[in-house]
Amino acid sequence: MRLEADFDYREFFARPGAGKSILRFTRDQEIFSQGDAADSVFFLLDGRIKVVVLSAQGKEAAIRLVESGQFFGDDCLIGDETRCATTIAMRDCVVASINKCLMIEALRTEADFAELFTRHLLLRNRGMEEDLIDQLFNSSEKRLARLLLRLSKLDNDGSAQPIAPHISQETLAEMIGTTRSRVSFFMNKFRKLGLISYDRNIEVHPRLSAMLQDRSEARN
C-alpha cells in the first residue's frame, strides 16, 4: 500500500532543519527495538522493513511489513513513551527520521504533509481490517495466497514484481499464523499448479488470485 500523492515527500525530508535526518541501515539491522524510547517518527524512503513483537514468554512474531513510501514508529504521536515493537531492515534501507515535536508541528502547518500522513493511516487501517477478516474466515492456504499477492503487488495494479529471497518461509508463516512446514507444503502445491515459480525469487502468476474467489475451502 504505497502512498500516491503529488506531495514531494522526498524534498520535504531532505529539506534542512533541526529534528530531521536521513539514515541508512543494512540488511538485518534494527531501526529501533521494543522498549526503546519513542521520540521520533520514521518514513521509509527505500527498502523493506519487518515489524516484530516479542511476547512476555519470549515468543517472537512478525506482524507486518513496511514498504517504501510508508510511515512507521508513529505510535509516539498518541503518547507512547516506549516502542511496542522491533523494526528490522530486510534489505538495505534508507529511512527518514523526524522528531516527534517537529512531526506534530508539520502536521499542523504543512497541509500536503498532513494529507499524506492521513492517507497513510487510512490505508493502514484498511489493511488491518482486511488482515483480521483474513484470519477469521480464510484457510491458511488462502491467507498465504493473499500475502503472496500483496507482496508481489499483483492485487493492486495487475503487474507482479518478484518477491525477493529476504522474505523467508519462516516470515511468511509468522505473518499468516501457521507453521513453516504448512507454508512449505502450500508453496510446493502452488508451484505444481503453476500458480507460482521460484528459484531464488518468488514469481507470482495471475492465476493465484483465482484461489481467493474459491469459497469451498474450510478455515484451518
Side-chain angles (χ1 to χ4, degrees), residues 160-205:
Q161 301 177 18
I163 301 173
H166 61 251
I167 299 186
S168 65
Q169 291 190 0
E170 288 86 351
T171 297
L172 294 173
E174 289 174 4
M175 295 193 70
I176 66 171
T178 191
T179 63
R180 183 192 178 282
S181 61
R182 291 293 284 169
V183 167
S184 179
F185 173 80
F186 293 135
M187 292 288 282
N188 286 327
K189 177 181 176 179
F190 293 166
R191 180 163 60 177
K192 289 177 182 177
L193 291 173
L195 304 177
I196 66 171
S197 58
Y198 59 89
D199 182 9
R200 293 186 71 253
N201 296 329
I202 301 171
E203 301 279 350
V204 176
H205 305 311

Side-chain angles (χ1 to χ4, degrees), residues 1-219:
M1 293 184 297
R2 284 173 177 242
L3 298 172
E4 301 296 339
D6 294 331
F7 179 65
D8 188 349
Y9 58 80
R10 291 181 181 275
E11 187 277 332
F12 172 81
F13 286 114
R15 195 184 306 162
K20 289 191 296 183
S21 57
I22 302 297
L23 310 171
R24 297 181 184 276
F25 298 89
T26 58
R27 181 177 175 177
D28 295 328
Q29 187 175 359
E30 291 185 358
I31 291 82
F32 57 75
S33 298
Q34 190 169 327
D36 285 354
D39 54 7
S40 56
V41 177
F42 297 92
F43 187 86
L44 184 57
L45 293 167
D46 185 56
R48 175 176 274 152
I49 288 169
K50 177 170 63 174
V51 181
V52 175
V53 294
L54 186 68
S55 71
Q57 293 74 34
K59 185 176 181 179
E60 184 180 286
I63 57 172
R64 69 184 178 96
L65 301 179
V66 179
E67 304 285 352
S68 299
Q70 293 182 344
F71 290 91
F72 63 103
D74 46 81
D75 290 348
C76 64
L77 298 178
I78 58 172
D80 288 2
E81 296 184 355
T82 58
R83 302 294 184 188
C84 59
T86 297
T87 51
I88 303 168
M90 301 187 73
R91 59 184 179 86
D92 291 354
C93 294
V94 181
V95 176
S97 171
I98 179 168
N99 177 270
K100 172 184 173 180
C101 294
L102 184 59
M103 179 74 179
I104 293 172
E105 181 63 21
L107 291 174
R108 289 173 176 165
T109 60
E110 300 268 1
D112 290 338
F113 181 74
E115 181 180 352
L116 179 77
F117 185 67
T118 300
R119 179 172 170 78
H120 159 79
L121 294 179
L122 293 172
L123 287 172
R124 189 169 68 186
N125 183 65
R126 185 179 71 183
M128 291 172 65
E129 290 179 349
E130 291 173 349
D131 289 344
L132 178 58
I133 293 170
D134 203 30
Q135 288 289 338
L136 290 174
F137 297 113
N138 285 336
S139 67
S140 53
E141 182 176 11
K142 285 186 178 180
R143 296 199 301 273
L144 177 60
R146 178 173 174 266
L147 179 58
L148 292 175
L149 288 164
R150 285 175 58 189
L151 292 173
S152 71
K153 304 297 190 301
L154 189 63
D155 59 343
N156 287 337
D157 57 15
S159 59
Q161 301 177 18
I163 301 173
H166 61 251
I167 299 186
S168 65
Q169 291 190 0
E170 288 86 351
T171 297
L172 294 173
E174 289 174 4
M175 295 193 70
I176 66 171
T178 191
T179 63
R180 183 192 178 282
S181 61
R182 291 293 284 169
V183 167
S184 179
F185 173 80
F186 293 135
M187 292 288 282
N188 286 327
K189 177 181 176 179
F190 293 166
R191 180 163 60 177
K192 289 177 182 177
L193 291 173
L195 304 177
I196 66 171
S197 58
Y198 59 89
D199 182 9
R200 293 186 71 253
N201 296 329
I202 301 171
E203 301 279 350
V204 176
H205 305 311
R207 288 197 300 126
L208 183 62
S209 60
M211 177 172 291
L212 302 183
Q213 309 304 318
D214 180 7
R215 302 182 183 276
S216 62
E217 294 184 26
R219 185 182 185 277

